[in-house]
Amino acid sequence: MITSDLNLDEFFKVSQCGFAKEMWDILEGTHEGTQNVKRAEKHALIQEYEIFRMMKGETILDVQKRFTHIVNHIISLAKIFEREELNIKIFKCFDRTWQPKVTTISESKNLTTLTTTSLFGKLREHKLEMNRLNDQENKEKHVKGIALKAAGQKGDQDSSDYSDSETFNLLTRKFDKFSKKNNREKSQPSNRYNSKNVNEFNSTNYTYFGCGIQEHIKVECPSNVSKEKGGYKKFEKKGKSRRAYIAWQNNDDSSSSSSSKGR
């Protein structure tokens, strides 16, 4: 019965044995090792079990596979675990981010009756829910970022439009002010012909260079006035003094005598 289930290589290992017990011991030692090998392997597995932790980037399913593989090998080496011990070991292998869920399960469930399969199932369910919430938050942040960017661009455009409008209004006000000032200057007479300046003009402050007499200008000079009777009245109507009239007469008489001598 033993040799019928062995391949050729295994058969050659036990073909020289005379008893079935001898064959079994050889096969057991080849595949399971001696007692010393079993003991060394058992200690190595226990140490790996004690330092078991969830690795970075590892999923719950990966953690379950590694943990189950270690525990089964230790159990095959005659090590017995209680359910509560295994569940507590699973809780300790997770980092701080899993502590809320771990605390909830440990307080709501009986660890002495809870199997490791059920425990890993609840952890996987929690992880899927967290992934769903994270995806939803990322989408909301993305939409909010697009909205803020669009609002910022709109605000910049509104600010630019407002600045352009203010510049246009300023130019309009300046142009209106300039137009009103220009129209007002055109409607008023020049200072040269202002009535105030005309009223303030007084010919008595000037001296005509032709006759050398003060208090008149060229158009009012006695030499240009007719010598007909009542000539002084014309002077008097214009507000000229008698002295100016006498000077004019003397000048006229001297001119007449000079012309007689010439004849």
Side-chain angles (χ1 to χ4, degrees):
M1 291 177 62
I2 294 175
T3 56
S4 63
D5 293 330
L6 299 177
N7 56 30
L8 186 59
D9 293 333
E10 299 294 335
F11 175 75
F12 284 128
K13 293 178 182 178
V14 296
S15 61
Q16 302 298 325
C17 297
F19 303 96
K21 180 66 171 61
E22 187 179 358
M23 293 180 181
W24 182 260
D25 292 338
I26 293 174
L27 293 173
E28 183 179 9
T30 302
H31 295 280
E32 294 184 1
T34 61
Q35 292 298 327
N36 294 332
V37 173
K38 290 181 181 180
R39 189 183 307 107
E41 186 178 2
K42 181 179 179 180
H43 290 315
L45 291 172
I46 291 174
Q47 183 179 5
E48 187 177 356
Y49 169 82
E50 290 176 353
I51 64 173
F52 183 82
R53 294 291 185 275
M54 182 180 183
M55 298 181 180
K56 185 177 181 180
E58 196 174 25
T59 63
I60 297 297
L61 185 59
D62 295 334
V63 174
Q64 183 179 3
K65 289 180 180 179
R66 287 199 306 115
F67 185 79
T68 304
H69 179 76
I70 294 173
V71 171
N72 289 340
H73 275 74
I74 296 175
I75 292 175
S76 66
L77 296 174
K79 173 65 177 177
I80 300 175
F81 294 99
E82 296 181 356
R83 288 185 177 180
E84 185 178 7
E85 181 182 358
L86 295 176
N87 292 332
I88 292 174
K89 182 59 183 178
I90 293 172
F91 287 155
K92 291 182 178 180
C93 75
F94 294 103
D95 55 14
R96 186 184 298 274
T97 59
W98 288 89
Q99 291 305 311
K101 184 61 178 177
V102 168
T103 304
T104 302
I105 296 176
S106 62
E107 292 178 354
S108 60
K109 300 295 181 180
N110 187 4
L111 300 182
T112 59
T113 58
L114 182 65
T115 62
T116 57
T117 304
S118 300
L119 177 58
F120 277 113
K122 292 184 179 298
L123 294 174
R124 290 182 61 188
E125 180 182 358
H126 174 71
K127 184 62 176 178
L128 292 174
E129 182 66 17
M130 293 300 296
N131 291 336
R132 185 188 67 81
L133 294 175
N134 291 333
D135 293 340
Q136 184 177 356
E137 290 177 358
N138 292 332
K139 290 180 180 180
E140 291 177 354
K141 289 181 180 179
H142 181 67
V143 173
K144 186 176 180 180
I146 295 176
L148 290 175
K149 185 177 180 180
Q153 293 177 354
K154 184 178 179 181
D156 294 340
Q157 185 177 2
D158 293 342
S159 178
S160 178
D161 294 341
Y162 177 78
S163 178
D164 295 340
S165 177
E166 284 293 318
T167 303
F168 177 76
N169 293 334
L170 180 61
L171 292 176
T172 304
R173 290 194 296 270
K174 287 185 177 181
F175 180 77
D176 293 340
K177 185 177 180 181
F178 172 77
S179 300
K180 291 179 180 178
K181 182 179 179 181
N182 191 21
N183 294 333
R184 186 167 59 254
E185 290 178 354
K186 289 182 178 179
S187 63
Q188 294 179 356
S190 176
N191 293 333
R192 183 178 178 181
Y193 304 101
N194 196 310
S195 59
K196 182 178 179 181
N197 295 334
V198 174
N199 295 331
E200 291 177 356
F201 178 78
N202 190 357
S203 61
T204 60
N205 298 327
Y206 297 91
T207 301
Y208 177 47
F209 67 91
C211 62
I213 301 176
Q214 297 181 350
E215 300 182 352
H216 71 277
I217 58 178
K218 181 179 180 179
V219 296
E220 298 176 353
C221 183
S223 60
N224 297 329
V225 181
S226 175
K227 295 182 179 180
E228 61 184 14
K229 188 178 180 178
Y232 173 72
K233 293 183 179 180
K234 296 181 180 180
F235 264 59
E236 192 175 16
K237 287 181 180 179
K238 294 183 179 182
K240 300 300 179 179
S241 64
R242 182 176 293 275
R243 186 173 63 85
Y245 179 72
I246 293 172
W248 169 70
Q249 283 185 337
N250 294 333
N251 187 29
D252 184 67
D253 292 340
S254 62
S255 297
S256 298
S257 61
S258 297
S259 60
S260 299
K261 289 179 181 181
R263 290 194 195 90

